[in-house]
Amino acid sequence: MRGFGILVLLVVMLGLAGCGNSKFRRYNGPEVTQVQVHKTERKMYLFHHDRVLKSYDIALGFAPQGHKQFEGDGKTPEGTYYISHKNPNSNYHLSLGISYPNPNDIAFAEAQGKSPGGEIFIHGGPRGRISQRDWTFGCVALTDKQMEVVYSMVRPGTPIVILP
């Protein structure tokens, strides 16, 4: 019986020790009402109405100039979208889905006989961080620690405006 008690205590201690390093943070501040990405500046801003709550340096798609039009073009979309969902099991630490492609993006690509692509996210970096400035396939990338904060602050349905 004494061995069982020690085992239970050990399990509880290990469980509590793991709580301090969780990638899931809590946020109790003002609501993020809009995300803005300024591609030329390589900056992302989280807004509460007209007030900037946070700003971050970002990495973009490996071909950052211009609006994403087709799958594999390496461009980050431009325009107004929304955060579609949270992905806690992302290959890139954590991620927030961006609602690309919208109906206009789809129509344009189909008219050219191509796919618009998809699966555009705001995400953390991969394990073994890539040293290039713009390295994604069209996503917006932050460090893992920054992504943990953004993930806690931004909710699905939040508008995201991606500017040239």
Short mmCIF file of all heavy atoms in Angstrom, two decimals, residues 8 11 23 26 30 43 45 48 53 73 77-78 89 105 112 126-127 160-162:
data_model
loop_
_atom_site.label_atom_id
_atom_site.label_comp_id
_atom_site.label_asym_id
_atom_site.label_seq_id
_atom_site.Cartn_x
_atom_site.Cartn_y
_atom_site.Cartn_z
N VAL A 8 1.28 7.39 -6.57
CA VAL A 8 0.28 8.44 -6.78
C VAL A 8 0.92 9.82 -6.60
O VAL A 8 0.71 10.74 -7.39
CB VAL A 8 -0.93 8.25 -5.83
CG1 VAL A 8 -1.82 9.48 -5.83
CG2 VAL A 8 -1.72 7.02 -6.22
N VAL A 11 3.06 10.66 -9.63
CA VAL A 11 2.24 11.01 -10.79
C VAL A 11 1.70 12.44 -10.65
O VAL A 11 1.72 13.23 -11.60
CB VAL A 11 1.09 9.99 -10.99
CG1 VAL A 11 0.07 10.50 -11.99
CG2 VAL A 11 1.64 8.65 -11.44
N LYS A 23 1.86 25.31 -23.85
CA LYS A 23 1.80 26.25 -24.96
C LYS A 23 0.47 26.99 -24.99
O LYS A 23 0.28 27.90 -25.77
CB LYS A 23 2.07 25.54 -26.28
CG LYS A 23 1.04 24.50 -26.68
CD LYS A 23 1.46 23.81 -27.97
CE LYS A 23 0.49 22.73 -28.38
NZ LYS A 23 0.90 22.08 -29.61
N ARG A 26 -3.41 31.88 -21.12
CA ARG A 26 -4.68 32.55 -20.87
C ARG A 26 -4.54 34.02 -21.22
O ARG A 26 -3.49 34.61 -21.01
CB ARG A 26 -5.06 32.45 -19.40
CG ARG A 26 -5.48 31.08 -18.97
CD ARG A 26 -5.91 31.11 -17.51
NE ARG A 26 -6.30 29.80 -17.07
CZ ARG A 26 -7.56 29.40 -16.99
NH1 ARG A 26 -8.53 30.22 -17.31
NH2 ARG A 26 -7.84 28.19 -16.58
N PRO A 30 -8.37 43.15 -23.40
CA PRO A 30 -9.37 43.61 -24.37
C PRO A 30 -9.47 42.65 -25.56
O PRO A 30 -8.48 42.05 -25.98
CB PRO A 30 -8.85 44.97 -24.83
CG PRO A 30 -7.83 45.37 -23.82
CD PRO A 30 -7.30 44.12 -23.22
N LYS A 43 5.14 43.21 -40.69
CA LYS A 43 4.58 43.45 -39.36
C LYS A 43 3.15 42.92 -39.30
O LYS A 43 2.41 42.98 -40.28
CB LYS A 43 4.52 44.95 -39.04
CG LYS A 43 5.86 45.58 -38.75
CD LYS A 43 6.41 45.13 -37.44
CE LYS A 43 7.10 46.23 -36.70
NZ LYS A 43 7.67 45.76 -35.45
N TYR A 45 -0.25 43.37 -36.63
CA TYR A 45 -0.79 44.15 -35.53
C TYR A 45 -2.10 43.52 -35.06
O TYR A 45 -2.94 43.15 -35.88
CB TYR A 45 -1.07 45.59 -35.97
CG TYR A 45 0.15 46.31 -36.49
CD1 TYR A 45 0.46 46.31 -37.85
CD2 TYR A 45 1.01 46.98 -35.62
CE1 TYR A 45 1.58 46.97 -38.32
CE2 TYR A 45 2.13 47.64 -36.09
CZ TYR A 45 2.41 47.63 -37.44
OH TYR A 45 3.52 48.28 -37.92
N HIS A 48 -7.62 46.35 -30.86
CA HIS A 48 -8.90 46.44 -30.16
C HIS A 48 -9.50 47.76 -30.67
O HIS A 48 -9.06 48.84 -30.26
CB HIS A 48 -8.73 46.46 -28.65
CG HIS A 48 -10.02 46.69 -27.92
ND1 HIS A 48 -11.01 45.75 -27.87
CD2 HIS A 48 -10.49 47.77 -27.25
CE1 HIS A 48 -12.03 46.24 -27.18
NE2 HIS A 48 -11.73 47.47 -26.81
N LEU A 53 -2.94 46.62 -29.75
CA LEU A 53 -2.64 45.89 -28.52
C LEU A 53 -1.24 45.29 -28.55
O LEU A 53 -0.52 45.29 -27.56
CB LEU A 53 -3.66 44.77 -28.30
CG LEU A 53 -5.11 45.18 -28.13
CD1 LEU A 53 -6.01 43.95 -28.11
CD2 LEU A 53 -5.28 46.01 -26.86
N ASP A 73 2.30 29.15 -55.47
CA ASP A 73 2.99 30.36 -55.94
C ASP A 73 3.84 31.01 -54.85
O ASP A 73 4.59 31.95 -55.13
CB ASP A 73 2.03 31.36 -56.58
CG ASP A 73 1.00 31.96 -55.62
OD1 ASP A 73 1.10 31.75 -54.39
OD2 ASP A 73 0.09 32.66 -56.12
N PRO A 77 -1.68 35.79 -49.30
CA PRO A 77 -2.83 36.51 -49.85
C PRO A 77 -2.87 37.97 -49.39
O PRO A 77 -2.25 38.33 -48.39
CB PRO A 77 -4.04 35.77 -49.28
CG PRO A 77 -3.55 34.54 -48.66
CD PRO A 77 -2.09 34.68 -48.44
N GLU A 78 -3.61 38.79 -50.13
CA GLU A 78 -3.89 40.17 -49.76
C GLU A 78 -5.39 40.36 -49.80
O GLU A 78 -6.07 39.81 -50.67
CB GLU A 78 -3.21 41.14 -50.71
CG GLU A 78 -1.69 41.05 -50.64
CD GLU A 78 -0.98 41.88 -51.70
OE1 GLU A 78 -1.64 42.52 -52.55
OE2 GLU A 78 0.27 41.87 -51.69
N ASN A 89 -2.94 21.36 -32.94
CA ASN A 89 -2.05 20.26 -33.32
C ASN A 89 -1.28 20.56 -34.60
O ASN A 89 -0.94 19.66 -35.35
CB ASN A 89 -2.86 18.98 -33.47
CG ASN A 89 -3.55 18.59 -32.18
OD1 ASN A 89 -2.94 18.60 -31.12
ND2 ASN A 89 -4.83 18.31 -32.27
N ASP A 105 -11.29 34.62 -54.99
CA ASP A 105 -10.02 33.92 -55.22
C ASP A 105 -10.25 32.63 -56.01
O ASP A 105 -9.50 32.31 -56.93
CB ASP A 105 -9.35 33.58 -53.89
CG ASP A 105 -8.98 34.80 -53.06
OD1 ASP A 105 -8.52 35.80 -53.63
OD2 ASP A 105 -9.15 34.72 -51.82
N GLN A 112 -8.49 30.63 -64.73
CA GLN A 112 -7.16 30.39 -65.30
C GLN A 112 -6.85 28.89 -65.42
O GLN A 112 -5.75 28.51 -65.80
CB GLN A 112 -6.09 31.06 -64.43
CG GLN A 112 -6.31 32.53 -64.15
CD GLN A 112 -6.36 33.36 -65.41
OE1 GLN A 112 -5.50 33.23 -66.28
NE2 GLN A 112 -7.37 34.20 -65.54
N PRO A 126 8.68 26.14 -37.49
CA PRO A 126 8.88 24.69 -37.42
C PRO A 126 10.01 24.39 -36.44
O PRO A 126 10.81 25.25 -36.11
CB PRO A 126 9.29 24.33 -38.84
CG PRO A 126 9.99 25.55 -39.34
CD PRO A 126 9.24 26.71 -38.71
N ARG A 127 10.05 23.16 -36.00
CA ARG A 127 11.19 22.74 -35.19
C ARG A 127 12.43 22.84 -36.08
O ARG A 127 12.37 22.52 -37.26
CB ARG A 127 10.97 21.32 -34.70
CG ARG A 127 9.86 21.25 -33.68
CD ARG A 127 9.41 19.80 -33.44
NE ARG A 127 8.29 19.72 -32.56
CZ ARG A 127 7.01 19.93 -32.93
NH1 ARG A 127 6.73 20.24 -34.18
NH2 ARG A 127 6.04 19.82 -32.07
N ILE A 160 -9.24 39.61 -40.49
CA ILE A 160 -7.81 39.82 -40.74
C ILE A 160 -7.69 40.53 -42.07
O ILE A 160 -8.23 40.08 -43.09
CB ILE A 160 -7.00 38.51 -40.69
CG1 ILE A 160 -5.52 38.79 -41.04
CG2 ILE A 160 -7.58 37.42 -41.55
CD1 ILE A 160 -4.58 37.65 -40.75
N VAL A 161 -7.02 41.67 -42.05
CA VAL A 161 -6.78 42.47 -43.25
C VAL A 161 -5.30 42.32 -43.60
O VAL A 161 -4.43 42.66 -42.79
CB VAL A 161 -7.15 43.95 -43.02
CG1 VAL A 161 -6.86 44.77 -44.28
CG2 VAL A 161 -8.60 44.08 -42.61
N ILE A 162 -5.03 41.81 -44.79
CA ILE A 162 -3.65 41.60 -45.23
C ILE A 162 -3.39 42.62 -46.33
O ILE A 162 -3.99 42.58 -47.41
CB ILE A 162 -3.43 40.16 -45.72
CG1 ILE A 162 -3.85 39.16 -44.63
CG2 ILE A 162 -1.96 39.96 -46.12
CD1 ILE A 162 -3.86 37.71 -45.07
#
